[in-house]
Amino acid sequence: MVYFMERRLHQKAVYWASPENDGEGGFTWVTPVEISCRWVGSSKIVMSANGVEKISNIQVQVAQDVDEEGMLFLGTLDDLESGYSDDPREIDGAHSIIRFDKVPNV
């Protein structure tokens, strides 16, 4: 089943896991990684993990778990400009992960 799913993931995205506490009252983002995905642009209202309704402009299918409040950018690490910000919220085209749903056996 995983092989079937991975065959449908023809695009690449850059993924940042949710930021980690830096021990000094702030947060730092971990090093981003490239993942395979299927990126679909469509708007819909989704409920975030904390129960707030938000409008999502994209839906992304991935073959691995991702963190809610992590970030995704459609493209590769090479597509990011050299010297890009360590904060993906400052990158044009990067999106917050509002909700992650896991479908067993798919």
Side-chain angles (χ1 to χ4, degrees), residues 9-96:
L9 307 179
H10 298 289
Q11 296 165 293
K12 292 290 183 184
V14 178
Y15 166 63
W16 291 264
S18 57
E20 297 177 351
N21 187 323
D22 67 5
E24 298 178 9
F27 292 90
T28 57
W29 293 88
V30 297
T31 303
V33 295
E34 280 183 25
I35 62 173
S36 296
C37 72
R38 180 169 184 253
W39 191 284
V40 179
S42 68
S43 295
K44 72 179 196 178
I45 297 174
V46 296
M47 186 78 65
S48 69
N50 58 2
V52 176
E53 285 187 349
K54 296 185 176 188
I55 296 176
S56 172
N57 295 316
I58 59 168
Q59 282 73 52
V60 181
Q61 295 175 349
V62 296
Q64 67 183 65
D65 291 357
V66 293
D67 295 339
E68 290 180 353
E69 300 192 18
M71 301 278 299
L72 287 171
F73 170 82
L74 179 61
T76 65
L77 288 166
D78 289 339
D79 292 333
L80 297 172
E81 295 179 20
S82 61
Y84 71 90
S85 170
D86 289 335
D87 187 341
R89 296 172 297 184
E90 297 177 6
I91 297 173
D92 228 13
H95 299 270
S96 294

Side-chain angles (χ1 to χ4, degrees), residues 1-8:
M1 217 33 139
V2 172
Y3 175 71
F4 171 76
M5 183 66 178
E6 289 175 350
R7 286 189 330 189
R8 299 184 57 192

